[in-house]
Amino acid sequence: MKAITFEGAGDADVLRLVDEPMPEIRPNDLLVRVRAAGINRADILQRQGFYGARPDFGDSLVPGLEIAGEVVEVGPKAEGYKIGDRVMAIVGGGGYAEYARVDSSMCMPVPDVLSYAQAAAIPEVSVTAHEALVHLGELKAGNWVLIHAAAGGVGSAAVLLAHAIGAKIVFTASGEERIARVTALGGTVGVDYRKQDFLSAALEATGGRGVDVVIDFVGGPYLDRNLRALAPGGRLIQVGILGGTEGILPIDLLVHRHLRIIGTVMKSRTFEEKVAMTARFQKHWHSAFVDGALKPIVDRVFPLERAAEAHRSMEASENFGKIILSMDEASQSFAPLQGTT
């Protein structure tokens, strides 16, 4: 089968399209003919050597954490699916390939209204967004939430879910066009982080009270302002550290306002934790994708052999929503998709 691999950490040019052995399925696995795979920041970190040379956080050295495709083989103990079923799933690596194995408990049916490219834009970002907003952040209707990097994959998914919950959203993005697009998804107050102070905007929007939840991907440089943007009892959910790991922690504020800082990441979770996260998301949101109330946001689709170009696009923060790799021969040309598709 064709797959993307790399030897030695490096920039996007280390990615190569090669022939790899077919995955060997385990008793609880499904073998999936991958039609589309989502690209995530964790894939870039893996390529850069952040996770080391061994698949410590998965079961394949082939990159790729989320897929959509059809079942072509069913393990003897796999449950809930049969050959020919359309599925989407979070995988322990191996997504950038024509075939991938996945434990059946990690799969979700692909709604009939969605293409494979759209389905591949759901699992990783939406499960992560639900975990941060609802399970950890305890966001409820009428609450205020501050969502950083709202034009990115997880950020835009978080805006969609927060709006569906009935929360009010302060968000950061760059430029008038992106702010307008996030507003169209349900954002309440947009902040251009290059020109405006999100702390002032959050306090102004909430009448000085502060927001109930902050979803942050930046890390250290935002830590102090994120905590100052929280209302008493508020929760900072740290999903990423794109801006670095060192920041100012106002401990007095943390103590006197009864604030909580909670870290979460998908790739390093145990298999059992990933199953639980997927189940929580599916129970809460799958029906909304089935009936069309929610639609995944696909920015553009690249053919598998242009994975390096897709990585460079993500590293340049050119995307609004998800960047997808397509394995279908009929989709082997660059296909930009506008907005929610």
Side-chain angles (χ1 to χ4, degrees):
M1 68 173 185
K2 297 296 183 183
I4 296 292
T5 62
F6 61 94
E7 293 185 8
D11 61 21
D13 291 332
V14 302
L15 297 175
R16 294 287 183 270
L17 182 68
V18 300
D19 288 310
E20 283 282 296
M22 289 283 289
E24 296 182 6
I25 67 169
R26 300 155 296 197
N28 294 314
D29 281 347
L30 305 175
L31 182 65
V32 177
R33 171 66 169 96
V34 180
R35 297 299 183 182
I39 291 181
N40 293 280
R41 290 281 176 183
D43 304 340
I44 292 173
L45 293 174
Q46 179 184 352
R47 190 204 74 216
Q48 293 171 337
F50 185 82
Y51 300 115
R54 295 170 291 112
D56 294 331
F57 299 117
D59 58 17
S60 175
L61 285 173
V62 173
L65 299 176
E66 60 186 340
I67 62 167
E70 68 262 14
V71 177
V72 296
E73 187 176 346
V74 179
K77 294 184 179 181
E79 298 180 349
Y81 299 95
K82 63 183 185 301
I83 292 174
D85 283 350
R86 301 198 325 147
V87 296
M88 55 187 179
I90 295 169
V91 295
Y96 292 11
E98 292 179 316
Y99 293 87
R101 68 181 184 183
V102 57
D103 191 286
S104 59
S105 62
M106 291 293 293
C107 288
M108 295 177 281
V110 173
D112 292 339
V113 297
L114 298 182
S115 68
Y116 283 122
Q118 291 172 311
I122 293 175
E124 180 81 10
V125 294
S126 296
V127 171
T128 299
H130 173 79
E131 193 74 4
L133 285 171
V134 181
H135 184 65
L136 299 175
E138 302 173 4
L139 187 70
K140 296 177 176 61
N143 284 174
W144 278 94
V145 58
L146 168 60
I147 299 174
H148 290 292
V154 180
S156 58
V159 170
L160 283 175
L161 299 190
H163 178 64
I165 289 169
K168 293 168 283 188
I169 305 161
V170 180
F171 65 89
T172 63
S174 61
E176 293 182 3
E177 180 181 354
R178 289 191 171 203
I179 288 174
R181 293 181 70 177
V182 177
T183 300
L185 298 180
T188 311
V189 177
V191 179
D192 187 336
Y193 66 86
R194 300 176 304 180
K195 302 177 181 179
Q196 300 169 279
D197 176 28
F198 67 79
L199 172 58
S200 298
L203 294 177
E204 181 179 352
T206 59
R209 174 181 175 272
V211 300
D212 300 281
V213 180
V214 174
I215 306 296
D216 182 47
F217 309 90
V218 177
Y222 280 12
L223 179 59
D224 180 71
R225 283 186 291 161
N226 278 338
L227 292 177
R228 295 184 187 281
L230 284 171
R235 288 80 66 195
L236 165 60
I237 313 300
Q238 197 67 51
V239 185
I241 48 174
L242 294 173
T245 59
E246 296 184 3
I248 298 171
L249 174 61
I251 298 178
D252 58 336
L253 202 68
L254 188 73
V255 171
H256 294 301
R257 291 193 186 176
H258 314 290
L259 306 178
R260 283 180 278 166
I261 303 173
I262 306 171
T264 182
V265 66
M266 173 72 77
K267 190 173 177 67
S268 60
R269 293 290 187 96
T270 66
F271 171 73
E272 291 75 18
E273 289 172 325
K274 290 178 182 178
V275 170
M277 293 169 68
T278 301
R280 286 192 287 266
F281 165 78
Q282 185 171 1
K283 180 180 179 180
H284 201 109
W285 296 109
H286 189 266
S287 62
F289 287 98
V290 171
D291 64 23
L294 290 177
K295 293 184 179 181
I297 305 167
V298 178
D299 178 77
R300 62 190 71 184
V301 180
F302 290 89
L304 180 63
E305 65 266 24
R306 292 171 65 182
E309 186 176 346
H311 270 221
R312 284 192 287 268
S313 180
M314 174 167 278
E315 289 178 282
S317 297
E318 295 175 350
N319 57 301
F320 184 90
K322 289 290 293 187
I323 298 173
I324 302 295
L325 292 178
S326 173
M327 288 67 173
D328 285 339
E329 292 182 359
S331 301
Q332 294 300 294
S333 61
F334 173 77
L337 302 178
Q338 299 299 320
T340 53
T341 58

